[in-house]
Amino acid sequence: MSRAQVQAVALCLVMNVVDGFDLLVTSFVGPAITREWGLSPSSVGVLLSGGLAGMAIGALFLAPLADRIGRRKITLGSLALASLGMLAAAFTQDLGQLLAARVVTGVAVGTMAASLPVLTSEYSNNKRKGTAVALITTGYGIGAVIAGLSTSVLVGSTGWRSVFVFGAVATAVLFLVGLKFLPESMDYLVAKRPAGALPRFNKILVSMGRQPVDELPAHDTGSRKVALESLFQGGNAVRTVLVWLAFTAAQTAFYFASSWTPTLLLKAGMSNQQGISGGILFSLGGITGAALLGVLVSKVEARKLTAAYFGLAAVMLVLFSLSLGTLAIALVFAVVLGLFLNGTISGINVIVPLIYPAESRATALGMAVAVSRLGAVLAPLFAGYLVQAGWQPSSMYQVFTIPALIGGAAVLLLTRFGRSTPNAVDAPVKAGAVAEA
């Protein structure tokens, strides 16, 4: 891959880091907010679900615009919105105001959650795209780790609001960086051919060290349906349902653990700092899991590998629940649990761009993200009510093995459906413009 391709993927990774911080920061500052405002467990569950509900809205209503107006515009707009949402959260005075601010931030993050994996896949060659998509999903874990560390450093001295200010500033800075360096999707330029598409396409080619072309690569629009309709045509209907089911299961298990682990460790008898440490270690495991999947996906078929991650995640949920009485063992298992749970989400992000054509990839992933947010939103809410009903943390982790097993079964069924779709980066065109990198 050329330097320009690597730069585009690296920028998507950094954006995912900021997304992870903005989305998961509430999991770490939640105990401090609870103490200050006297929130009940069910109210904490509502707060933790606010950003996730916003993600569903963004993925459903805004992410499909990336296939119509371009990945670059929708990503930059989302960064600006996320920064405003984080800044607003720092000045809220009650649960309702903070919940509204978290929903706004979630809308932005949900939009980028659909566009960034697609943009990464399109800027990677066929040999590297699975690895690259898995790599950028480590950004969520890195962002969560930074959120945990920031909470440890800032909350004691300047209060929980300062953590949101830090996130708002970081997101705003990244918006300025993206404004200058984030390229448009080559596949979008070929598929939609907006005004000035050829000069923009050639500018990107030159940045990749390739020769400009006299015309855009051929695009067989007649054989492909309108983006949304194509998700439910023929074999795509079964494929889409299985993707939705697997993604919903992955989001349910992951966001229960990522949202509630710091609080449940406190309930299991650990200190506030130990609870934060457990959340950080869970996120570090998530980084490792996504990175490991990125390495393995070049050697093992993505759907089979993702199914294995689901099965191992179910096992680790049980083992983690049995380890809560011993701090050292629980913290070790927190790392491994994060590894496999985050790996399931990374795996699906790898799979979707491989099985849908360029003009519907963002729509396909956006719809999958939107539908899966049902699980992501309900998981923290459900957990909050279980806590309020007196459930022990160990029993709660065991309950969430069920979605992990369902997700594994869906991905195994998905191995019977799907196809690989080449990128504009890889497709040969006239004048020798684009060859395999």
Side-chain angles (χ1 to χ4, degrees):
M1 288 170 56
S2 68
R3 181 177 178 180
Q5 288 172 275
V6 173
Q7 178 178 289
V9 171
L11 189 53
C12 289
L13 169 61
V14 176
M15 289 180 177
N16 258 1
V17 171
V18 172
D19 274 2
F21 182 102
D22 291 353
L23 182 65
L24 298 174
V25 64
T26 314
S27 303
F28 294 97
V29 300
I33 298 172
T34 300
R35 289 192 298 271
E36 182 176 323
W37 290 351
L39 301 180
S40 67
S42 59
S43 295
V44 174
V46 171
L47 178 60
L48 293 173
S49 294
L52 301 172
M55 284 190 76
I57 296 170
L60 183 61
F61 295 107
L62 296 184
L65 292 177
D67 286 325
R68 295 170 56 189
I69 67 174
R71 323 283 195 236
R72 173 182 160 84
K73 288 180 181 178
I74 205 70
T75 300
L76 292 176
S78 297
L79 283 170
L81 184 62
S83 181
L84 291 174
M86 291 292 286
L87 187 62
F91 293 95
T92 55
Q93 300 300 315
D94 56 40
L95 177 61
Q97 293 176 5
L98 182 56
L99 181 61
R102 295 304 297 154
V103 170
V104 169
T105 301
V107 167
V109 174
T111 305
M112 283 189 283
S115 62
L116 289 177
V118 173
L119 189 59
T120 299
S121 178
E122 292 174 348
Y123 262 94
S124 306
N125 58 18
N126 282 333
K127 182 179 180 181
R128 300 285 197 280
K129 61 183 174 181
T131 300
V133 172
L135 176 63
I136 72 155
T137 60
T138 64
Y140 280 101
I142 296 171
V145 169
I146 296 172
L149 294 174
S150 301
T151 300
S152 298
V153 172
L154 296 175
V155 167
S157 56
T158 56
W160 59 265
R161 299 175 189 277
S162 62
V163 184
F164 284 105
V165 172
F166 175 76
V169 172
T171 308
V173 169
L174 188 56
F175 167 80
L176 296 176
V177 173
L179 195 62
K180 181 173 179 60
F181 294 107
L182 183 67
E184 183 54 271
S185 159
M186 296 176 73
D187 290 77
Y188 163 76
L189 295 174
V190 171
K192 293 299 182 181
R193 302 178 184 253
L198 181 59
R200 294 166 69 187
F201 188 85
N202 280 331
K203 182 179 179 180
I204 296 171
L205 282 179
V206 171
S207 73
M208 294 165 58
R210 305 182 188 182
Q211 295 297 316
V213 294
D214 296 326
E215 59 183 0
L216 290 172
H219 179 67
D220 186 11
T221 56
S223 65
R224 292 173 178 171
K225 306 296 182 181
V226 175
L228 185 59
E229 293 178 354
S230 70
L231 303 186
F232 304 99
Q233 296 289 332
N236 266 359
V238 176
R239 184 181 298 120
T240 296
V241 170
L242 290 174
V243 167
W244 287 3
L245 182 60
F247 215 172
T248 300
Q251 301 278 5
T252 299
F254 175 80
Y255 280 107
F256 155 69
S258 63
S259 298
W260 273 98
T261 290
T263 299
L264 290 179
L265 290 179
L266 266 67
K267 186 173 175 60
M270 299 183 190
S271 68
N272 183 65
Q273 187 57 48
Q274 288 169 341
I276 293 175
S277 297
I280 291 174
L281 289 172
F282 176 88
S283 299
L284 285 172
I287 298 168
T288 306
L292 180 62
L293 186 137
V295 173
L296 295 176
V297 79
S298 62
K299 307 177 186 301
V300 182
E301 203 279 325
R303 285 161 288 188
K304 294 179 181 178
L305 181 61
T306 304
Y309 264 71
F310 269 111
L312 292 169
V315 172
M316 287 311 307
L317 281 163
V318 174
L319 292 178
F320 184 68
S321 73
L322 299 175
S323 72
L324 292 178
T326 307
L327 174 62
I329 298 177
L331 294 181
V332 171
F333 279 146
V335 175
V336 186
L337 178 62
L339 186 154
F340 289 117
L341 283 180
N342 193 47
T344 62
I345 295 176
S346 300
I348 297 170
N349 277 315
V350 170
I351 291 169
V352 172
L354 298 177
I355 63 176
Y356 290 97
E359 67 270 23
S360 62
R361 285 175 193 153
T363 299
L365 192 54
M367 290 294 295
V369 169
V371 172
S372 71
R373 289 306 153 193
L374 177 63
V377 171
L378 292 181
L381 283 173
F382 181 54
Y385 284 109
L386 291 180
V387 171
Q388 195 155 311
W391 279 55
Q392 294 302 307
S394 58
S395 299
M396 293 172 62
Y397 282 97
Q398 291 168 18
V399 165
F400 281 90
T401 61
I402 296 173
L405 293 173
I406 292 173
V411 174
L412 283 176
L413 289 173
L414 194 59
T415 59
R416 297 181 57 189
F417 305 91
R419 55 182 171 145
S420 179
T421 305
N423 297 338
V425 168
D426 297 292
V429 298
K430 294 179 180 180
V434 186
E436 174 71 33

